């Protein structure tokens, strides 16, 4: 019988060396060390290993964040960032595109955001209203989804738990056309259900 032993790589989280490139802080690709704001990046690998399902699950692991799960009926799961309600004063983007409808004052958060499909999530702490508008008063969250590296790729996972908890999600993408440079596509979706408690 072969036994696997845990080593320090299984326990210690990878530390950033400052060479990671982010796009959310200045709307162009820059290294973290070259930017005058506080930035945290959570990789897709960390999201999968830690079993995060919603954005608030990821936010729990970041400093200076207070979260409320299940939250309220109006806002869903809620978070506070620098003393203000993040659902209201934080700009949430998916691939640099805002997801909050302009007619809403708050962003309701549940499992509708593509967390499991993210290559990385960039968290910008601090006012970013000059770049993103008034609803970025305390920060920006940019969910950057995985891009196709081959013709077609697909991934999916299913989670089951107590109280009849069910979570499924899928992600399908690829490239098409001559030399695979004409069309790049990506489809994703998720479903979450839990019995009333």
């Amino acid at each position: 019988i072969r036994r696997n032993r845990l080593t320090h790589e299984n326990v210690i989280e990878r530390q950033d060396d400052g060479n990671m490139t982010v796009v959310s802080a200045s709307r162009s690709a820059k290294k973290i060390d070259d930017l005058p704001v506080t930035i945290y990046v959570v990789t897709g690998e960390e999201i999968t290993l830690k079993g995060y399902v919603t954005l608030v699950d990821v936010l729990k692991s970041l400093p200076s964040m207070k979260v409320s799960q299940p939250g309220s009926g109006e806002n869903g799961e809620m978070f506070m960032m620098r003393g203000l309600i993040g659902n209201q004063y934080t700009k949430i983007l998916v691939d640099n595109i805002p997801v909050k409808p302009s007619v809403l004052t708050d962003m309701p958060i549940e499992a509708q955001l593509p967390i499991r499909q993210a290559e990385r999530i960039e968290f910008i702490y601090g006012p970013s209203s000059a770049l993103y508008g008034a609803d970025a008063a305390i920060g920006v969250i940019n969910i950057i989804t995985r891009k196709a590296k081959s013709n077609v790729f697909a991934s999916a996972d299913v989670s089951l738990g107590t109280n009849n908890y069910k979570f499924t999600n899928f992600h399908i993408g690829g490239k098409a056309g001559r030399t695979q440079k004409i069309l790049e596509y990506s489809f994703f979706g998720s479903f979450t259900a839990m019995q009333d408690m």
Side-chain angles (χ1 to χ4, degrees), residues 108-176:
I109 298 175
E110 289 296 334
Q112 85 273 31
L113 297 169
I115 303 304
R116 301 289 282 195
Q117 291 82 14
E119 177 185 303
R120 68 184 187 276
I121 304 176
E122 299 175 359
F123 299 90
I124 313 302
Y125 284 56
S128 300
S129 299
L131 287 173
Y132 290 102
D135 54 350
I138 57 172
V140 175
I141 298 171
N142 193 3
I143 302 164
I144 299 170
T145 58
R146 288 190 295 267
K147 302 293 181 253
K149 293 184 176 128
S150 60
N151 292 0
V152 177
F153 75 91
S155 65
D157 61 275
V158 176
S159 300
L160 304 171
T162 58
N163 296 315
N164 206 18
Y165 172 78
K166 297 178 191 111
F167 171 75
T168 59
N169 93 84
F170 71 92
H171 188 194
I172 299 167
K175 294 180 177 181

Side-chain angles (χ1 to χ4, degrees), residues 1-7 10:
I1 296 174
R2 184 177 169 187
R3 297 185 183 194
N4 294 327
R5 295 184 182 228
L6 290 177
T7 64
N10 301 105

Side-chain angles (χ1 to χ4, degrees), residues 25-39:
S26 63
R27 290 202 174 188
S28 62
K30 295 209 187 292
K31 291 188 176 174
I32 289 180
D33 284 350
D34 297 338
L35 296 164
V37 292
T38 304
I39 302 170

Side-chain angles (χ1 to χ4, degrees), residues 52-111:
Y52 297 143
V53 174
T54 69
L55 179 62
V56 174
D57 290 339
V58 179
L59 290 168
K60 281 194 267 190
S61 67
L62 298 177
S64 305
M65 291 283 187
K66 292 184 178 178
V67 302
S68 174
Q69 288 176 302
S72 70
E74 182 182 357
N75 288 329
E77 298 178 344
M78 296 172 57
F79 68 98
M80 287 187 78
M81 187 176 184
R82 299 195 168 186
L84 295 171
I85 297 173
N87 299 50
Q88 211 168 21
Y89 298 106
T90 303
K91 185 77 138 188
I92 300 175
L93 312 166
V94 175
D95 292 328
N96 301 315
I97 299 170
V99 294
K100 181 176 113 176
S102 59
V103 296
L104 295 177
T105 54
D106 296 352
M107 172 66 190
I109 298 175
E110 289 296 334

Side-chain angles (χ1 to χ4, degrees), residues 148-152 174-185:
K149 293 184 176 128
S150 60
N151 292 0
V152 177
K175 294 180 177 181
R178 184 173 243 192
T179 67
Q180 299 179 350
K181 293 183 179 177
I182 294 176
L183 173 69
E184 185 174 325
Y185 60 92

